[in-house]
Amino acid sequence: MIIGGGPGGYEAALVAAQLGAEVTVVDCDGLGGASVLTDCVPSKTLIATAEVMTTFDSSYEELGIIVADDTPPMEQAARVVGVDLGKVNRRVKRLALAQSHDITASVTRAGARVMRGRGRLEGMQALDGSRKVVVRAADGSEETLTADAVLIATGGHPRELPDARPDGERILNWTQVYDLDELPEELIVVGSGVTGAEFAGAYQALGSRVTLVSSRDRVLPGEDPDAAAVLEDVFRRRGMNVMSRSRAQSAKRVGDRVEVTLADGRVITGSHCLVAVGAIPNTEGMGLEEAGVKLKDSGHIRTDRVSRTSAPGVYAAGDVTGVFALASVAAMQGRIAMYHFLGDAVTPLNLKTVSSNVFTDPEIATVGYSQADVDAGKIDARVVKLPLLRNPRAKMQGIRDGFVKIFCRPGTEIVVGGVVVAPRASELIHPISLAVDNNLTVEQIANAFTVYPSLSGSIAEVARQLHTRKAGAEG
């Protein structure tokens, strides 16, 4: 039995069904969960449109591209690129629903049963090791099912500030922005983590005047500091008002405007406000603690590296566990849970091999140990960072911002981490991820051929510099 249809749930269902188990997936919104319906897929679809705008806006003059309206003379022509947000958002929602339907079709084809409703655990484990799950349908009817094992993959929902409750019109959370028909003229984004930074960059690219309110001393406080510095510089250069060390206390509507009051008493105004201050796990009202499932103070479910909870026969995967809030990690947790329960070969989750990406422009991709780990002495590593400005392909494309950084062990030269800041860094991080996952050395990366010219050439160049520095030290 799987409660929740996000990446952890539907990937677990596919694995279990393929291994011959009888599978039921209980979900109230549609398979794919928040990741597909209100979070990852919609936001990255919106960002894809913004990316086109940003790429054009930042490069067209340098590359010699002329954009003109129909009014001569050409020398007086103005740029006429704009966006129809209503059309963009209709496409966003259409693609999200289509993806959810595709997932449902895949799961049912594999032989799993899909039920619409909300599931909760009932009581303790039975003497035969089974668990009872009560499924409540939208009409209020309930059905009790018995399962040999239960996977909880119910995800999370946007955290709200007590004095900044979303109304879905002017004060919004990240699930509500896709109902907008017109581009916000002046958007205040509260929260400078991944979600806040992604939306701030996207709406700025689409044409909004954006103010980003950050309670910390920089944007993306959880990311590589060099990468965050590059992004903040880009934001400011493109006209974004980045307010560091400015904690939002409240937000309220005043007519067709929004007033955001900061903790120090300052008040900023805009046409809209997006509150992006984290997520809360969907664990309330599920009977978890009564069933012996231990929760963290944050409400997240405690799990081990094979997705087991403290209750026998109960597993958990995805954002509800508070591990990495990534669809890829949720999916892996779900697969691992099923492999473990069904007695198949299983490799425990290793977070140091997880690659992640911030879909801003430029993107920020990371894998393995971080600069913070090195600075804190958690690992002894050598580091080389190479700006993309030196890369011939970057020069051809008018790319000014970004770098490649690789961490390797001093003695063995094994690659233990990396950071890429670049357009489509999400694609460029993969060779470093392979190196981290397979304990490759910088020499092995340096000796592999890369296409010339290419952005990936910078990865090989950083590896060469790390290797030659060691050779130079030994000589």
Side-chain angles (χ1 to χ4, degrees):
M1 169 71 67
I2 297 170
I3 304 176
Y10 71 73
E11 286 289 342
L14 288 170
V15 166
Q18 289 162 1
L19 291 176
E22 184 178 332
V23 184
T24 298
V25 183
V26 178
D27 186 83
C28 58
D29 298 317
L31 294 197
S35 175
V36 168
L37 293 170
T38 60
D39 189 1
C40 189
V41 170
S43 66
K44 277 48 177 183
T45 305
L46 177 72
I47 289 167
T49 301
E51 184 181 60
V52 174
M53 301 281 287
T54 304
T55 301
F56 181 83
D57 188 49
S58 61
S59 301
Y60 78 101
E61 288 185 358
E62 180 176 340
L63 298 182
I65 298 172
I66 298 173
V67 179
D69 61 18
D70 296 327
T71 305
M74 182 65 74
E75 290 78 10
Q76 297 177 2
R79 181 172 171 230
V80 290
V81 177
V83 65
D84 181 340
L85 189 65
K87 187 174 182 179
V88 170
N89 280 338
R90 286 190 293 274
R91 177 175 181 265
V92 165
K93 291 191 280 189
R94 186 170 64 250
L95 289 176
L97 285 174
Q99 180 69 6
S100 178
H101 292 156
D102 287 347
I103 292 169
T104 302
S106 296
V107 169
T108 53
R109 270 198 310 270
R113 175 192 181 194
V114 178
M115 294 182 66
R116 269 294 179 91
R118 297 183 181 276
R120 72 174 188 274
L121 292 176
E122 188 175 82
M124 301 296 291
Q125 186 179 29
L127 293 177
D128 63 359
S130 65
R131 291 277 182 178
K132 287 186 177 181
V133 175
V134 179
V135 180
R136 184 180 181 86
D139 62 6
S141 61
E142 292 188 348
E143 181 179 354
T144 301
L145 305 175
T146 300
D148 295 322
V150 178
L151 173 71
I152 309 297
T154 47
H157 61 276
R159 179 173 171 260
E160 296 179 358
L161 298 176
D163 295 319
R165 300 293 185 187
D167 61 12
E169 295 178 357
R170 296 284 173 174
I171 303 174
L172 309 158
N173 62 39
W174 73 73
T175 70
Q176 298 169 329
V177 294
Y178 311 108
D179 293 325
L180 293 175
D181 289 323
E182 296 183 357
L183 188 69
E185 183 179 347
E186 300 169 277
L187 178 65
I188 301 169
V189 179
V190 175
S192 63
V194 172
T195 301
E198 287 183 344
F199 277 114
Y203 277 103
Q204 181 188 45
L206 294 173
S208 297
R209 293 195 297 275
V210 176
T211 296
L212 180 59
V213 179
S214 173
S215 62
R216 309 288 284 274
D217 59 354
R218 61 178 173 86
V219 301
L220 297 174
E223 298 295 322
D224 180 90
D226 293 332
V230 169
L231 184 65
E232 185 167 335
D233 179 65
V234 169
F235 278 173
R236 293 182 187 275
R237 195 172 68 231
R238 291 175 181 165
M240 186 183 299
N241 178 22
V242 180
M243 302 182 66
S244 304
R245 294 182 291 277
S246 302
R247 184 177 296 277
Q249 186 169 301
S250 66
K252 66 177 181 179
R253 287 186 63 167
V254 181
D256 61 354
R257 305 283 292 173
V258 177
E259 289 186 354
V260 175
T261 302
L262 306 181
D264 60 9
R266 288 178 294 167
V267 177
I268 54 177
T269 64
S271 62
H272 297 75
C273 176
L274 170 62
V275 180
V277 289
I280 295 175
N282 295 325
T283 52
E284 190 174 349
M286 294 187 61
L288 297 178
E289 291 181 291
E290 294 82 353
V293 177
K294 292 183 179 179
L295 306 179
K296 303 175 186 177
D297 292 341
S298 60
H300 293 94
I301 298 174
R302 295 184 181 276
T303 57
D304 62 13
R305 291 176 60 202
V306 292
S307 304
R308 289 178 297 188
T309 72
S310 56
V314 181
Y315 295 78
D319 291 2
V320 76
T321 65
V323 182
F324 280 179
L326 299 170
S328 58
V329 172
M332 185 62 75
Q333 287 178 300
R335 296 187 203 105
I336 287 172
M338 294 301 99
Y339 289 140
H340 182 270
F341 172 69
L342 295 171
D344 204 48
V346 60
T347 301
L349 184 67
N350 180 7
L351 295 179
K352 287 305 178 186
T353 63
V354 174
S355 57
S356 63
N357 193 70
V358 183
F359 289 86
T360 48
D361 183 52
E363 293 182 356
I364 299 172
T366 56
V367 66
Y369 284 93
S370 66
Q371 186 71 58
D373 294 328
V374 175
D375 294 343
K378 293 181 180 179
I379 187 170
D380 185 15
R382 292 191 293 117
V383 184
V384 165
K385 182 180 76 170
L386 185 67
L388 283 184
L389 274 173
R390 302 182 191 178
N391 182 287
R393 186 66 180 273
K395 293 175 183 176
M396 296 170 190
Q397 293 180 301
I399 298 170
R400 301 184 185 89
D401 305 294
F403 62 81
V404 173
K405 178 193 289 188
I406 294 178
F407 307 89
C408 77
R409 298 287 286 172
T412 61
E413 291 194 333
I414 290 175
V415 177
V416 294
V419 183
V420 178
V421 181
R424 306 296 174 89
S426 51
E427 310 292 345
L428 292 170
I429 196 67
H430 191 236
I432 305 178
S433 296
L434 287 172
V436 171
D437 196 38
N438 292 281
N439 295 318
L440 301 183
T441 67
V442 291
E443 182 180 12
Q444 288 172 303
I445 295 178
N447 288 337
F449 279 94
T450 58
V451 172
Y452 180 87
S454 67
L455 295 183
S456 60
S458 289
I459 296 173
E461 179 59 27
V462 171
R464 278 191 288 273
Q465 289 191 21
L466 279 165
H467 178 59
T468 55
R469 288 185 185 187
K470 178 191 176 186
E474 289 177 348

